[in-house]
Amino acid sequence: MPTKSNKKIKHLFLSLLFDGIGMLSFAVPFLGDFSDVIWAPISAWLMIKLYKGKIGKAAGVVSFVEEIIPGLDVIPTFTIMWLYTYVFKKSKFNKIIDVD
């Protein structure tokens, strides 16, 4: 059974990979716009599967919009979601209940 730390690292690796795939459209001129049409729904689905719940669904919509609009591929949506899930959200929770 994977530990919480292993899941965290796995999600970071996948997030970096998926952001890298999304940015590949800049590598090939004109082909990139076509690939965004294919990648946008895939990235939304991956985001929903990677990050569960309402926040994952909202991030899926953001990921779709970010990928479908030309020029926004540089935004690392998956990595931002990872940071929110494992860094910012957790530290905010710990401060509220004063966990040491």
Side-chain angles (χ1 to χ4, degrees):
M1 185 168 187
T3 65
K4 196 171 193 175
S5 179
N6 288 345
K7 181 180 177 183
K8 184 178 178 179
I9 292 169
K10 179 183 173 184
H11 279 186
L12 176 59
F13 173 77
L14 290 172
S15 294
L16 292 169
L17 175 68
F18 296 151
D19 281 334
I21 291 170
M23 291 179 191
L24 280 175
S25 64
F26 282 125
V28 182
F30 303 110
L31 182 62
D33 295 333
F34 176 72
S35 67
D36 284 345
V37 171
I38 295 169
W39 177 245
I42 294 170
S43 72
W45 182 80
L46 289 169
M47 184 71 81
I48 291 168
K49 292 298 179 186
L50 198 58
Y51 300 101
K52 305 290 184 192
K54 290 180 184 178
I55 195 71
K57 290 177 184 175
V61 170
V62 170
S63 181
F64 178 84
V65 170
E66 179 257 327
E67 289 296 338
I68 203 73
I69 296 175
L72 294 183
D73 293 340
V74 296
I75 300 172
T77 313
F78 283 93
T79 305
I80 291 169
M81 184 60 182
W82 184 88
L83 287 168
Y84 170 76
T85 302
Y86 293 107
V87 177
F88 300 120
K89 184 177 175 185
K90 191 171 191 164
S91 64
K92 183 178 176 183
F93 177 74
N94 287 341
K95 287 179 185 176
I96 291 172
I97 62 170
D98 196 29
V99 175
D100 291 324

